[in-house]
Amino acid sequence: MLQKKIFSIAASLLVTINPFLGQAQPAPILRVNVAQPIADIQPTMWGVFFEDINFGADGGIYAEMVKNRSFEFFKPLMGWKVEGSKRTEGDILVQNRQDKQTSNPRYVRITANNASQGGLSLTNEGFRGMGIKSGLRYDFSVLCRVQSGNAKLHVDLLNAKDEVIGSGILTPEQTDKGWHKQQVSFKSTAGEQKGKLRVWFEGTGVVDLDMISLFPEDTWKGRPGGMRADMIQMLADMKPGFVRFPGGCIVEGYDLDQRYQWKKTLGPAEDRQLIINRWNFEFGHRPAPDYFQTFGLGFLEYFQLCEDIGAEPLPILNCGMACQFNTAELVPMDQLDPYVQDAVDLIEFANGDVSTKWGKVRADLGHPKPFNLKFLGVGNENWGPQYIERLAVFQKVIKDKYPAMRLVCSSGTDPNGERFDFLNGKLRDMKADLIDEHYYRRPEWFLQNASRYDSYPRKGSKVFAGEWAAQSDKTVSVDNKNNWQCALSEAAFMTGLERNAAVVNMASYAPLFAHADGWQWTPDLIWVDNLRVYGTPNYYVQKLYSINKGTNVLNLTQENSPLAGQDSLYASAAWDKATNEVILKVANVSNKAQVRIIQLDGVKKLAANGKLTLLKNNVLDAVNSFENATNVSPVEQQIAVDVKKKALSLTLAPRSFSVVRVKVLP
Ligand code: AHR
């Protein structure tokens, strides 16, 4: 009776004009029960998935500008152009000290014989060019060892026409230390999108060079040898609840030799043994023969990144299985121990105090404070009984030692089918903490699955929606676009994730980054070249969810049902106890404007104005680009609240995603 009365008052006072019929129509009501939140939203709800794919790390967030700096690619001089060698002025020869230095055996020996400008030189092409900013300081460094003489290094930045736009001089010192690092810094005089680095030699002498490196001054937090600040800022702006790293299939490796091994990613950069990146050769249609993992960014740096941006670290480790799309190699069960030990040691590395073996390693690397790791993934897209068998060993050992550690477990590659059903059943029987679901599907799938989690059990294992993205064409198609249709379908789907935060504790779009000249997989959340970065419409959807996360789910209904596709509308509501705000998210995937009255039940008083953040575009194919980076991007406006009726009228633009925040007053 009371409900009926509220409805009739609201309907009579908040009548709107139907824009198409031109008549006064009572707009349908969305009721939000503010008084009784139905579930907690975990602080980890919206996060990011990072993998070194599409030049995500090397050539991406790792700000190193020199490709193949240690001459360890299959072809030792790949990325380098040698000029003037084997002439009277001297020679440049690749040396290999495999017996002495297994992690970084190669270097180059320069023999300069009265060399001068225009003679003996090495030029590096960078990662599809080097992005150079005018007036910025660049830090060149090299490991060197003088054999004889006193040849000098001239370090020049070149523009696309090979004109010098910055230079420094370095004279390798003859010391009894042998190999040692030297550096020189200088400023560029002009900007260039496709720059190069040329090192030319002057004078006479024999000098050995390795780890020829160039970093810009403006790295994230100004850390020498650090990350690209513009890319990391995009992540920081999202305020992600977690960062999953280092992948992805890269964790599994093409074969077990090429799996990701975190212990090999610590310490001096020159001791981190490079391996081929599996995305180098994964797709015949997008080959990247110059794609390797230098591990210049290693686990310490990933943990540090998480700390910097206030995200929970979520490392994923190999479970004793190589990628099942590739070799599908298995570690025999009686040889699994080192893999399990890697996981146990990682927890100690992250959390142990400095008196522990691995806690001390962390402290010696400059981070005595523990990282407070709470989540750990075992296996990426692994499946079958072989996975369950191996996972059970990890689970037992880790839980015995660290009962509070929450383990993320794989449900394979797809969100349905035999493989999924088998794993989902087994994992729930095993009381898995979090089940990692992946869905690379068409936009229609995302709309049809907005209620996917409504029927999931509220008790038992939680879901980590660990990798997903709407595919405008199909998975691994080069034609997939980060268009508005895909982003809007994701926004609609995510209302279902939020509504079911009791079940879904973590979610991340994948992949995260792509280099416009070096990608293998599309779509991707953020696109970069060597100087620029832009967020896709999908990025703005993810960001809007993340920065408007709230702390509790509120029940939102239209005619007593969740709004999950009726009239092509999808909605969810959250409460933010930190700010006392109701947060409403509504996706209108139809091509017509629609009006809804939002009735906030159970509140005493509301602020007179709320904030509406609107993401919209009439064109489903609309995309962002370097030239038009904010084509589809959020716009904010004030929205009036009817404080008397504790309601507001929301006009949902065609093909739009709206986020509304309304403050509840005491
Ligand atoms: O995100 C790209 C790839 O998709 C990941 O590496 C893998 O886990 C999935 O198949």
Side-chain angles (χ1 to χ4, degrees), residues 397-468:
V397 174
I398 295 171
K399 289 287 184 176
D400 279 355
K401 191 155 186 200
Y402 300 106
M405 189 59 52
R406 299 194 69 204
L407 296 184
V408 169
C409 310
S410 162
S411 67
T413 54
D414 294 279
N416 48 19
E418 246 177 70
R419 201 183 272 168
F420 175 84
D421 293 341
F422 169 78
L423 288 175
N424 195 37
K426 288 280 179 201
L427 293 175
R428 284 175 188 277
D429 291 348
M430 288 168 78
K431 302 195 182 342
D433 296 314
L434 287 143
I435 300 180
D436 182 5
E437 296 189 3
H438 293 185
Y439 18 87
Y440 294 101
R441 291 287 192 272
R442 299 255 325 152
E444 303 79 49
W445 184 94
F446 284 86
L447 298 182
Q448 285 151 10
N449 279 271
S451 302
R452 174 180 175 89
Y453 297 107
D454 289 1
S455 55
Y456 265 51
R458 306 285 114 176
K459 294 214 167 91
S461 303
K462 303 296 178 197
V463 170
F464 167 36
E467 284 187 36
W468 49 274

Side-chain angles (χ1 to χ4, degrees), residues 49 51 53 248-249 279 380-381 438 440 467 510-511 521:
F49 159 96
E51 177 169 17
I53 183 174
C249 290
W279 299 107
N380 175 48
E381 281 186 343
H438 293 185
Y440 294 101
E467 284 187 36
W521 181 295

Side-chain angles (χ1 to χ4, degrees), residues 257-299:
D257 270 356
Q258 288 169 18
R259 73 188 191 277
Y260 197 101
Q261 297 187 62
W262 71 270
K263 287 176 182 165
K264 294 187 174 179
T265 72
L266 307 177
E270 59 271 24
D271 295 340
R272 303 182 189 186
Q273 189 170 4
L274 164 154
I275 61 172
I276 193 167
N277 187 310
R278 53 155 292 131
W279 299 107
N280 177 312
F281 53 87
E282 180 68 18
F283 296 138
H285 55 283
R286 295 290 303 173
D290 54 346
Y291 201 5
F292 287 76
Q293 293 187 82
T294 63
F295 302 111
L297 290 182
F299 260 40

Side-chain angles (χ1 to χ4, degrees), residues 188-209:
S188 62
T189 54
E192 173 60 56
Q193 181 77 25
K194 295 271 180 191
K196 283 180 268 189
L197 172 77
R198 181 168 61 205
V199 182
W200 60 272
F201 303 93
E202 185 191 352
T204 298
V206 179
V207 58
D208 296 333
L209 303 179

Side-chain angles (χ1 to χ4, degrees), residues 582-597:
V582 175
I583 308 169
L584 194 79
K585 302 185 182 80
V586 191
N588 176 9
V589 305
S590 76
N591 60 2
K592 58 180 200 294
Q594 303 197 54
V595 182
R596 288 295 179 274
I597 304 304

